[in-house]
Amino acid sequence: MVWQVLEGLSRDSAKRLRFVPGIVYVDEGAACGRSPEDRAKTLSEARLVLEAVGFPHHEVALEEVFSLPPSVLRRPAQGPAETQAQGDYKAAVDTFLQQQLVLGAQDSLPPAPGEGQLHHPQGLPGPQSWTAAQTQALCRLFESVKTLTAREELLQTLRTHLILHVARAHGYSKVMTGESCTRLAIRLLTNLALGRGAFLAWDTGFCDERHGDVVVVRPMREHTLKEVAFYNRLFAVPSVFTPAIDTKAPEKASIHRLVEAFLLRLQAQFPSTVSTVYRTSEKLTKAPREGCASGPRCLLCMCTLDIDAADSATAFGAQSCSHLSPMQLPPLPAEAGTPPTPCCPPGPGRAQGADERQDAQAHFLEQLCYGCRVNMKELASLDPLPPYIQAEAQLRSQRAWVRREIQEFLIEDGGDGEDGQS
């Protein structure tokens, strides 16, 4: 995709692009079990390619999700205030980093970014700025997830949060990803199997505006994997090959691998299979269900929650109607003066019982869509999750509890803000 952008920016291009692009390289080696030597070798090869292109590039590691601020999971307002929202986000990130530096790293959390390292003006750690504690925390997180399907979904979620943070901190309003037509067709069928059918238009469409100030676009969605491979071969495009989290995994190891093998095998016999599935995604609309447009959003994927429990045709309705469902959540505390159990791990010198952990996980799952709930139910504890996810989950739980306490004193104006922040 980088070479496509280069051609679009050339002076001889018929439709010249009018923007200054930047490249983000995310090192996912720790999640894939790679050694530090292999990661350093791959990073040096990628850096040579990035420097040859000449665009501004940002090298980040997946471990840096353990130093992200909770504001990355909040959706700023759209419209003319987008520039101001990005400025506010940068200020919030700088404030968060300064607080981490002043307070110091706690024993239970990875060290804050910037300690003993060069501080970057945009508030982002530089390349190779992650610590051994963050690498261990990331490995522990992925080891706590049992199935490969949930690991792939978790990896995609963390990668999206990290790229979103880089885009906001550096002032980018658009993120261009390199998903091809084949990859989007595989994702469409995979998301259907994972219970994310309500969000197919966002996950596979050309434009994804769920994040508000940063829009994700997929300009390569018209090309198949074979066309991209031929283009790279004919024009000698340099490439850096890195093993993925599902490399050498058997065909039935995950839903992603099973759908990919099925679709590619069908494509070999019927060449129009991928294009047919892809054209189906173009017909999907992004209109949410009535009454859910201004409702709360999923804590992880940031899509609008479709939580109409009265409709038994939805996953949430099926869960509320079935008393034997393993996904049924326990009720909230009955005491009026009892706040919700924090979702964050206990601090030093404070024990957390099994009931409190179960309540914390229940409050956490309440803030997720059906697809994310299915993946997160494999986590026996919330402790391995990055601190920014736990902090935002606790904040939303406390805000929901306070809102329930003062509900009878509120004057509804017909338009609640994001996640009840009216």
Side-chain angles (χ1 to χ4, degrees):
M1 189 182 67
V2 176
W3 263 251
Q4 297 284 349
V5 174
L6 278 174
E7 292 183 3
L9 293 174
S10 64
R11 192 172 296 179
D12 300 332
S13 177
K15 296 181 179 180
R16 189 176 180 183
L17 301 177
R18 305 286 182 179
F19 59 85
V20 179
I23 306 175
V24 179
Y25 173 77
V26 181
D27 180 12
E28 306 171 357
C32 302
R34 304 190 65 195
S35 63
E37 293 77 12
D38 293 340
R39 295 178 61 187
K41 180 180 179 181
T42 302
L43 181 61
S44 61
E45 295 176 357
R47 187 175 294 137
L48 292 177
V49 176
L50 296 177
E51 293 176 353
V53 174
F55 294 149
H57 57 275
H58 316 280
E59 305 164 2
V60 293
L62 195 63
E63 289 94 327
E64 295 179 19
V65 296
F66 286 90
S67 58
L68 293 184
S71 55
V72 73
L73 298 177
R74 299 165 193 165
R75 187 176 186 267
Q78 290 180 290
E82 289 183 0
T83 305
Q84 179 65 26
Q86 290 182 353
D88 295 342
Y89 181 82
K90 293 180 182 180
V93 171
D94 292 336
T95 304
F96 173 78
L97 294 176
Q98 291 296 332
Q99 291 176 353
Q100 293 284 36
L101 289 175
V102 172
L103 297 178
Q106 299 180 0
D107 296 335
S108 58
L109 297 179
E115 294 187 15
Q117 301 158 3
L118 294 177
H119 180 69
H120 290 241
Q122 276 86 4
L124 281 177
Q128 295 184 349
S129 61
W130 61 90
T131 63
Q134 291 176 334
T135 303
Q136 294 176 1
L138 184 66
C139 295
R140 184 168 59 254
L141 171 61
F142 279 88
E143 289 173 358
S144 61
V145 180
K146 302 176 184 177
T147 63
L148 181 59
T149 300
R151 291 176 187 170
E152 293 188 38
E153 289 294 309
L154 179 62
L155 176 61
Q156 179 179 342
T157 300
L158 297 181
R159 184 197 306 122
T160 301
H161 293 171
L162 187 58
I163 294 177
L164 180 63
H165 174 67
V166 174
R168 285 174 173 169
H170 288 277
Y172 295 107
S173 60
K174 302 289 188 302
V175 173
M176 302 170 63
T177 59
E179 289 102 336
S180 63
C181 171
T182 308
R183 291 301 176 191
L184 291 179
I186 295 173
R187 179 181 297 181
L188 186 145
L189 297 181
T190 302
N191 286 3
L192 285 176
L194 293 175
R196 294 186 54 84
F199 313 131
L200 289 179
W202 283 271
D203 293 337
T204 62
F206 174 77
C207 185
D208 183 1
E209 314 97 340
R210 79 181 75 175
H211 307 294
D213 57 333
V214 178
V215 179
V216 179
V217 293
R218 303 178 177 94
M220 299 291 294
R221 67 193 302 263
E222 297 287 344
H223 308 286
T224 63
L225 280 178
K226 182 177 290 187
E227 293 174 347
V228 174
F230 274 115
Y231 180 90
N232 294 340
R233 177 73 175 179
L234 294 176
F235 291 92
V237 176
S239 304
V240 178
F241 297 95
T242 58
I245 194 172
D246 60 344
T247 299
K248 296 184 179 180
E251 181 177 305
K252 299 181 180 180
S254 67
I255 296 179
H256 304 78
R257 291 282 294 116
L258 185 61
V259 172
E260 179 181 1
F262 167 75
L263 199 60
L264 294 182
R265 190 180 299 112
L266 201 61
Q267 172 73 9
Q269 300 176 3
F270 305 96
S272 61
T273 300
V274 169
S275 60
T276 301
V277 177
Y278 163 74
R279 297 302 173 188
T280 303
S281 67
E282 288 188 329
K283 302 176 182 179
L284 301 174
T285 60
K286 299 179 181 179
R289 293 168 57 89
E290 184 178 356
C292 298
S294 59
R297 294 180 176 269
C298 177
L299 180 65
L300 296 181
C301 67
M302 303 177 68
C303 289
T304 304
L305 290 180
D306 189 1
I307 52 177
D308 186 6
D311 187 359
S312 60
T314 64
F316 286 96
Q319 292 174 18
S320 61
C321 294
S322 175
H323 298 283
L324 300 178
S325 174
M327 290 291 295
Q328 186 178 7
L329 301 179
L332 294 176
E335 295 81 358
T338 304
T341 304
C343 295
C344 292
R350 184 174 59 144
Q352 188 178 27
D355 294 340
E356 294 180 351
R357 289 179 179 271
Q358 185 178 3
D359 291 342
Q361 191 162 9
H363 291 299
F364 176 77
L365 292 177
E366 285 180 342
Q367 306 174 35
L368 305 180
C369 64
Y370 176 76
C372 294
R373 288 189 185 189
V374 173
N375 295 323
M376 288 296 103
K377 73 177 182 180
E378 298 189 6
L379 281 175
S381 173
L382 302 180
D383 297 346
L385 288 176
Y388 76 98
I389 296 180
Q390 300 184 31
E392 182 64 17
Q394 181 182 9
L395 179 62
R396 292 189 183 185
S397 296
Q398 294 175 349
R399 184 182 294 119
W401 176 81
V402 172
R403 186 177 181 84
R404 285 195 300 268
E405 291 297 311
I406 63 174
Q407 183 67 36
E408 58 184 59
F409 305 104
L410 295 178
I411 300 177
E412 301 292 343
D413 58 357
D416 292 344
E418 171 67 18
D419 296 324
Q421 304 176 35
S422 57

